Amino acid sequence: MIYLDNAATTLRKPPQVEQAVLDAMRTAGNPGRGAHEPTLHASRLVYAARCAMAKLLHAPDPSCIAFAANATEALNIALGGLFAPCDHIITTVCEHNSVLRPLYRLREQGLQFSFAGVDERGRLQYDDWNKLVQPNTKALVVTGASNVTGNGTDLAKAAGFAHRHSLLLIVDAAQTAGSQPIDVQALGIDVLCFTGHKALLGPQGTGGLYVRPGLSIQPLVVGGSGVHSFDEQHPAQMPTALEAGTLNVPGLAGLCAGVEWILAQGVETLCAKETALAALFYKNIRDLPNVKIYGDPEMPLHAPIISLNIGDEDSARIADILWEDYSICVRAGAHCAPLMHKALGTVEQGVVRFSFSHFNTEAEVLQAAAAVQELAQEI
């Protein structure tokens, strides 16, 4: 089997991740809910995960990291807890439904938003952003990279725009946290949402958000916290403010192991390998007749994603053939990013997405490229 669906979830993890999950299942109690060794051990595991994420993102303090089940929950927390009904937000057509659907729900309460567009290759048009600013604009919400095309967002440009207009900068880093260097302080990011099961190499059911010190977010969920139990209001201090109920301690232990492995290897090193694998695949398919490639894989900021279609064939059929005849795992369809598909003209056909990890090999990439070549000749 050749697994090239890493943008959905990384299947291959360092062995330390599995071991950390198993160890926590056997030894960890409930963090913050007692003073005996199992609960203290659980608290240490959670704190270690905070420290690892803070180091990876260059956050000023581990308390800036609040954990959630995934990037979707983190984005719901951020978008639902920062804005008033009369506010306006700028976002882009590149966004995942994890951003779009919370915004659509908030629109029912009076929130307004505008979409920044892309060109024919799905590249953001930064020069047009100034036209979208309104007197009540409060934030810019952007993805780190499109999960459809792999086209990256220039976060330095985004930050400069946000700061010039006194806007909050909220980043969906589902496709970039762990696979690209991110310095939240240097960029001036206010909120960054991440998921654990992709490039961070953690288990599914893990994720969270970085929140800039001094920024207060109304919690999405309130309840047990282990502290201030007689207060009617949920504790306001980070990270407890955004973490009601018992955390996924085994999952966070695995996430910590994955992030520590990434830090030991070096994010830049892993990013370079993934970029090289995606470039190798692109080089071997870009000139094939009957193959259309979406996005701009040659742009400097690009996730290790190559999306394509073969002729007019439905993307789901191509994905089925790749699995059944070649044992290659890819993702087809709409990828939960409807506005990007509208911009690319792939609403009906969808796209076939190949996404690469540093655990993939050049031999696997070349086999996948050869499979695309064969299908392009047959279909």
Side-chain angles (χ1 to χ4, degrees):
M1 180 182 74
I2 300 176
Y3 188 81
L4 299 176
D5 195 18
N6 294 283
T9 196
T10 47
L11 187 64
R12 296 178 63 188
K13 319 279 188 182
Q16 297 94 318
V17 173
E18 179 182 359
Q19 190 60 51
V21 173
L22 291 174
D23 288 346
M25 290 288 292
R26 296 167 179 155
T27 62
N30 198 324
R33 270 72 169 179
H36 50 75
E37 179 53 30
T39 191
L40 294 175
H41 176 56
S43 296
R44 295 186 196 106
L45 291 175
V46 172
Y47 184 69
R50 285 195 216 285
C51 290
M53 281 304 309
K55 184 175 182 181
L56 181 72
L57 299 175
H58 299 274
D61 186 86
S63 66
C64 297
I65 305 296
F67 290 119
N70 41 53
T72 298
E73 184 177 19
L75 286 160
N76 272 267
I77 291 170
L79 297 174
L82 282 171
F83 305 110
C86 58
D87 290 339
H88 173 258
I89 292 172
I90 297 172
T91 188
T92 81
V93 299
C94 304
E95 306 310 311
H96 190 276
N97 273 336
S98 297
V99 168
L100 299 180
R101 285 178 173 163
L103 289 180
Y104 293 147
R105 184 167 65 176
L106 290 169
R107 182 174 59 189
E108 298 174 2
Q109 303 170 19
L111 186 77
Q112 302 170 353
F113 47 86
S114 301
F115 291 108
V118 294
D119 65 12
E120 70 282 355
R121 301 193 68 182
R123 295 171 296 202
L124 284 166
Q125 302 296 284
Y126 300 97
D127 292 340
D128 296 336
W129 287 11
N130 287 318
K131 303 174 186 176
L132 302 176
V133 179
Q134 299 179 15
N136 59 335
T137 304
K138 294 297 191 296
L140 171 66
V141 182
V142 295
T143 183
S146 167
N147 70 312
V148 178
T149 65
N151 290 352
T153 299
D154 189 332
L155 291 181
K157 281 188 178 180
F161 170 83
H163 298 156
R164 284 194 303 275
H165 296 282
S166 300
L167 308 180
L168 295 175
L169 176 59
I170 301 173
V171 177
D172 173 7
Q175 294 297 335
T176 53
S179 68
Q180 295 181 10
I182 300 173
D183 189 327
V184 292
Q185 292 190 87
L187 288 166
I189 294 173
D190 295 288
V191 179
L192 182 138
C193 300
F194 59 88
T195 200
H197 65 100
K198 298 185 183 186
L200 291 174
L201 305 177
Q204 294 172 349
T206 60
L209 60 167
Y210 157 80
V211 180
R212 171 181 54 78
L215 180 63
S216 178
I217 299 177
Q218 285 292 109
L220 180 68
V221 178
V222 297
S225 61
V227 295
H228 302 294
S229 295
F230 289 97
D231 292 351
E232 293 185 356
Q233 302 298 318
H234 194 78
Q237 185 177 5
M238 280 285 290
T240 308
L242 302 180
E243 293 180 345
T246 298
L247 292 170
N248 177 8
V249 177
L252 294 178
L255 175 63
C256 182
V259 174
E260 288 180 342
W261 186 88
I262 292 168
L263 290 168
Q265 305 301 311
V267 179
E268 292 82 0
T269 299
L270 299 176
C271 178
K273 182 174 181 181
E274 292 175 349
T275 300
L277 291 173
L280 177 64
F281 180 74
Y282 175 66
K283 176 183 176 182
N284 280 271
I285 66 164
R286 64 185 175 189
D287 297 323
L288 292 176
N290 211 28
V291 172
K292 182 173 183 180
I293 298 171
Y294 299 93
D296 182 4
E298 297 182 12
M299 65 189 297
L301 296 169
H302 202 275
I305 291 170
I306 305 292
S307 291
L308 57 84
N309 274 316
I310 300 177
D312 296 324
E313 191 60 58
D314 187 88
S315 61
R317 180 169 182 265
I318 298 298
D320 287 344
I321 294 172
L322 286 169
W323 170 242
E324 293 170 0
D325 295 353
Y326 299 92
S327 296
I328 297 173
C329 303
V330 297
R331 167 80 185 274
H335 306 274
C336 302
L339 299 184
M340 178 55 82
H341 283 283
K342 289 180 181 179
L344 297 174
T346 56
V347 171
E348 298 299 327
Q349 190 176 15
V351 300
V352 183
R353 183 182 70 188
F354 295 75
S355 50
F356 305 90
S357 165
H358 41 78
F359 283 116
N360 290 123
T361 65
E362 290 188 359
E364 290 176 330
V365 170
L366 292 174
Q367 287 181 58
V372 172
Q373 183 174 5
E374 290 181 12
L375 290 175
Q377 294 171 347
E378 295 172 0
I379 292 176

